[in-house]
Amino acid sequence: MKDFKIIELKRSVFENNDKEAARIREYLKKDKTFLLNLMSSPGSGKTTTLLRTLEELKDKYKIAVMEADVDSDVDAHTISKAGVKAIQLHTGGMCHLDAGMTEQGLKEISYSDYDLVILENVGNLICTAGFDTGASKNVMILSVPEGGDKPLKYPLMFSISDVLIINKMDVIEHFDFDLEKVKEFALERNPNIKIFPISAKTGEGVAAWCEWLSNETDKWIE
Amino acid sequence: MKDFKIIELKRSVFENNDKEAARIREYLKKDKTFLLNLMSSPGSGKTTTLLRTLEELKDKYKIAVMEADVDSDVDAHTISKAGVKAIQLHTGGMCHLDAGMTEQGLKEISYSDYDLVILENVGNLICTAGFDTGASKNVMILSVPEGGDKPLKYPLMFSISDVLIINKMDVIEHFDFDLEKVKEFALERNPNIKIFPISAKTGEGVAAWCEWLSNETDKWIE
């Protein structure tokens, strides 16, 4: 018996995604729910980073997680075992969530019961960047093995993200990854981006990232 | 001065992508040009794998490379420095190539001058899988750091690929990656998929993969 629901998302009917996203953000602010949109390539460690984040913050905030995937439910299993409310959103082949699809998830979990809702978006550096979900903040993860040229190749993702988490720092010595150069490339794309190098595996750097998230959540729900 | 052209692709006007892809495949066969469609997540090592493949095969075949990217030209630079004809295709934000866009590239490089044309598709495990490019064969790369659950999460990519290259085998001891389990998952999705574990960095396993590609090219152009 699964202890999470699977929601088959419907295609959105809204013509203007930005307008819908702004509407969602407005009611989330009013109802004191911070929505974090977490994006990355497949395999950069979104779910492991999320588990570490939940460990740090689950006693401080009421948290729910919406796992978006094309059609599996691997991640919702993992998160619900960590003792946090989770639902799995199936995009039916779609490579991203838009505002309307995000809203279907928010309604399904009764978002206003939570201080912090985390959306783990579909693993994709291109399509997810093109659609505002209504999130309070956008966070992207780049992992060390993916290489340091990604800000050059996926500029939009770096431009629209408030935070860049650089994950898998524990293996940096085995890869040709110049941390300072990557920071420089990312800041060229987006001078306001906050950068947190972490290892979700060892826990290194996670506290600083969680402090940022906690501060932002406090500001949003105060 | 750049020694490769950059092509800004136009959106395709064709309504039936599969029909266009079949038409492309037919003239490629007639004109004796094998088209390989190489797909993966961002950062799995497509370009490095390609460099190794070119090293092995460039004296045997006339080879050209089409690099597709949202808007950078990092990869075409790298490939053209290896002494192989390269062009950079810009998708203008699109997350994949379809048959019509591939055809724009094929015409631009005068495909019939080559035995083997390799398309390095956009870094994306979802959208690229949904569009037949007209390629003779589809090959995907999964790299060890991405993790072994990918066949569960991106089923379509594994279903439509003729070959799965498992890259970055040189770092497997630093990651929780069960090679046998991944092979099993991949074969569940696609019992006909050929699997080649390699390290594009060290060259391990590259010969076996190139032998497959060489055999398939010979069969196509004979």
Side-chain angles (χ1 to χ4, degrees):
Chain A
M1 169 80 190
K2 284 173 184 167
D3 44 5
F4 57 87
K5 264 177 97 169
I6 298 179
I7 316 300
E8 306 295 336
L9 296 176
K10 292 174 195 70
R11 300 284 164 115
S12 299
V13 291
F14 303 121
E15 277 186 26
N16 186 333
N17 186 68
D18 286 350
K19 205 173 128 191
E20 294 309 314
R23 184 178 55 77
I24 291 172
R25 206 152 23 238
E26 201 173 307
Y27 68 62
L28 288 173
K29 177 74 185 162
K30 191 171 76 49
D31 293 340
K32 298 179 186 296
T33 301
F34 184 93
L35 175 61
L36 180 76
N37 177 24
L38 188 60
M39 295 170 288
S40 81
S41 287
S44 66
K46 277 195 298 304
T47 311
T48 316
T49 302
L50 196 43
L51 285 172
R52 284 280 181 185
T53 305
L54 295 174
E55 251 172 53
E56 289 264 336
L57 298 181
K58 75 180 178 186
D59 295 335
K60 187 167 177 191
Y61 301 107
K62 283 172 284 177
I63 308 181
V65 173
M66 307 195 292
E67 287 292 340
D69 241 317
V70 174
D71 81 350
S72 84
D73 53 13
V74 178
D75 294 335
H77 260 296
T78 311
I79 297 297
S80 67
K81 275 194 283 183
V84 167
K85 169 77 177 181
I87 57 172
Q88 180 73 52
L89 309 177
H90 280 176
T91 66
M94 287 276 283
C95 50
H96 66 274
L97 292 196
D98 60 17
M101 295 165 95
T102 305
E103 184 167 50
Q104 293 169 49
L106 287 169
K107 287 186 174 161
E108 199 61 51
I109 51 153
S110 309
Y111 73 89
S112 59
D113 294 348
Y114 300 95
D115 305 315
L116 172 58
V117 174
I118 303 176
L119 167 63
E120 185 179 331
N121 213 318
V122 182
N124 189 313
L125 283 188
I126 303 169
C127 315
T128 52
F131 289 84
D132 189 344
T133 58
S136 316
K137 294 285 175 186
N138 292 317
V139 172
M140 69 165 295
I141 303 179
L142 172 70
S143 65
V144 165
E146 292 169 62
D149 59 353
K150 296 299 163 286
L152 306 175
K153 298 179 75 172
Y154 302 93
L156 185 61
M157 176 58 81
F158 288 80
S159 307
I160 60 107
S161 291
D162 299 289
V163 164
L164 164 63
I165 293 176
I166 301 179
N167 191 26
K168 307 194 187 178
M169 285 297 292
D170 56 294
V171 293
I172 196 167
E173 65 184 292
H174 304 294
F175 291 90
D176 180 21
F177 188 92
D178 182 339
L179 182 61
E180 292 314 309
K181 200 84 198 159
V182 173
K183 285 181 177 175
E184 190 185 310
F185 285 156
L187 288 164
E188 266 169 32
R189 292 297 181 190
N190 178 355
N192 298 314
I193 202 165
K194 301 270 177 298
I195 303 176
F196 297 102
I198 73 164
S199 164
K201 193 172 169 188
T202 67
E204 174 199 346
V206 171
W209 144 246
C210 286
E211 196 190 333
W212 178 89
L213 179 55
S214 179
N215 284 337
E216 294 299 320
T217 303
D218 289 344
K219 275 193 265 174
W220 188 266
I221 67 176
E222 70 187 359
Chain B
M1 169 81 190
K2 283 174 183 167
D3 45 6
F4 56 88
K5 263 178 97 169
I6 298 179
I7 316 299
E8 306 294 336
L9 296 176
K10 292 174 196 71
R11 300 283 163 116
S12 299
V13 292
F14 303 121
E15 277 187 26
N16 186 332
N17 186 68
D18 286 350
K19 206 172 128 192
E20 294 309 313
R23 184 178 55 76
I24 291 172
R25 204 149 28 235
E26 202 173 305
Y27 68 61
L28 288 173
K29 179 71 186 162
K30 191 170 76 51
D31 293 340
K32 298 180 186 295
T33 301
F34 184 92
L35 174 62
L36 180 76
N37 176 24
L38 188 60
M39 295 170 288
S40 80
S41 286
S44 66
K46 276 195 298 305
T47 311
T48 316
T49 301
L50 196 43
L51 286 171
R52 285 280 182 185
T53 305
L54 296 174
E55 251 172 52
E56 289 265 335
L57 299 181
K58 75 180 177 185
D59 296 334
K60 189 167 177 190
Y61 302 108
K62 284 171 284 177
I63 309 182
V65 173
M66 306 195 292
E67 287 292 340
D69 241 317
V70 173
D71 81 351
S72 85
D73 54 14
V74 178
D75 295 335
H77 261 295
T78 312
I79 297 298
S80 67
K81 275 193 284 183
V84 167
K85 168 79 178 179
I87 56 171
Q88 181 74 52
L89 308 177
H90 280 175
T91 66
M94 286 276 282
C95 50
H96 65 275
L97 293 196
D98 59 17
M101 295 164 94
T102 305
E103 185 167 49
Q104 294 169 49
L106 287 169
K107 286 186 175 160
E108 199 60 52
I109 51 154
S110 310
Y111 73 89
S112 59
D113 295 347
Y114 300 95
D115 306 314
L116 172 59
V117 173
I118 303 177
L119 167 63
E120 185 177 332
N121 214 319
V122 183
N124 190 311
L125 282 189
I126 302 170
C127 315
T128 52
F131 289 83
D132 190 344
T133 57
S136 316
K137 294 285 176 186
N138 291 317
V139 172
M140 69 165 294
I141 303 178
L142 172 70
S143 65
V144 164
E146 292 169 61
D149 60 351
K150 296 300 164 287
L152 306 174
K153 298 179 76 173
Y154 302 93
L156 185 61
M157 177 57 81
F158 288 80
S159 307
I160 62 105
S161 291
D162 300 289
V163 164
L164 165 62
I165 292 177
I166 302 180
N167 191 24
K168 307 194 187 178
M169 286 297 292
D170 56 294
V171 294
I172 196 166
E173 65 184 293
H174 305 293
F175 291 91
D176 180 21
F177 187 92
D178 182 339
L179 182 60
E180 293 313 310
K181 200 84 198 160
V182 173
K183 286 181 176 174
E184 190 185 310
F185 286 156
L187 289 163
E188 267 168 31
R189 293 296 181 190
N190 179 355
N192 298 315
I193 202 165
K194 301 271 179 297
I195 303 176
F196 297 103
I198 74 164
S199 163
K201 192 172 169 189
T202 67
E204 173 199 347
V206 171
W209 143 247
C210 287
E211 197 189 331
W212 178 89
L213 179 56
S214 179
N215 284 337
E216 293 298 321
T217 304
D218 289 344
K219 275 193 265 175
W220 189 266
I221 67 175
E222 70 187 358

